[in-house]
Amino acid sequence: MNGWRPARVLAVRPESASARALVLQVPSWPGHLAGQHLDVRLTAPDGHQAVRSYSIASAARRPGPAEVEIGVELAVDGEVSSFLTGEVRAGDVLEVTGPLGGWFVWRPGDPAPVQLIGGGSGVVPLVSVVRTHAGVPDAPELRMLASVRSPAVAMYAAELAAFDVVWTREVPPGSTRPPGRLDAELLAATTVPAASSPTCLVCGPTPFVEHVAELLVELGHDEARIRTERFGSAR
């Protein structure tokens, strides 16, 4: 049964100049699928409460005691993200509920190739898919394409290194590709072809997700196989 439950912070790890990964110990976690998210609730001494959603980066988990990792990027005027990226410490106890979301998921056993496309912090739920996929014997082909402003703000950079990255404003040293936006030509060159009927998971700011989804359809992908997850302001 879902509901608010305590989650002790086990570890806080810098993920970029503006983001952290939080590892939460949840004694009664109901389990989650790759791609889902959870809500964090903070309560101030005066009783004021604020709730925000954060994507889960951990591989899929079965019900039971669990360590659940979330990725948090500081949002402009972020009431909750400013605390989670600047003040929370190991040993603190938060309140969480989840998992949430049943459409933007990848389930082991799906034989279709998997194409992941993330913009900014939209890579967090895709990392969960990558980690889950890595533990599945004979899993189908998986590719990921990330669009990131610069190396300084790249979340889960170590895992992105194994995949294609489009740097939109600043490229890392040694890069042979100049900074620029993701376009149809690059998308066609770096993703699973439409003829292979991949399951496409696209996550990021709303303008990014809409742009990518339109490009995928133009490249011949079936709209029914494109799953999107979007969030607030463009970054």
Side-chain angles (χ1 to χ4, degrees), residues 29-36 56-63 67-68 99 128:
W29 185 239
H32 70 269
L33 299 171
Q36 290 188 300
I56 299 171
S58 306
R61 294 278 190 274
R62 297 181 181 277
E67 294 181 10
V68 181
S128 175

Side-chain angles (χ1 to χ4, degrees), residues 137-156:
D138 300 320
E141 177 186 12
L142 178 147
R143 296 188 195 177
M144 182 160 73
L145 174 61
S147 176
V148 186
R149 288 204 308 268
S150 70
V153 298
M155 299 179 67
Y156 294 96

Side-chain angles (χ1 to χ4, degrees), residues 49-124:
Q49 293 185 323
V51 177
R52 297 292 185 275
S53 296
Y54 294 101
S55 293
I56 299 171
S58 306
R61 294 278 190 274
R62 297 181 181 277
E67 294 181 10
V68 181
E69 180 177 325
I70 59 173
V72 182
E73 185 174 48
L74 177 63
V76 176
D77 299 324
E79 186 178 16
V80 176
S81 66
S82 62
F83 176 79
L84 296 182
T85 59
E87 300 181 44
V88 73
R89 298 289 183 268
D92 290 347
V93 177
L94 310 175
E95 286 185 294
V96 302
T97 187
L100 303 169
W103 168 246
F104 189 82
V105 297
W106 180 74
R107 300 173 187 271
D110 183 344
V114 187
Q115 179 61 60
L116 309 175
I117 304 176
S121 60
V123 301
V124 178

Side-chain angles (χ1 to χ4, degrees), residues 207-219:
F208 171 84
V209 170
E210 292 178 347
H211 174 64
V212 170
E214 289 173 1
L215 292 179
L216 288 172
V217 172
E218 290 175 8
L219 291 174

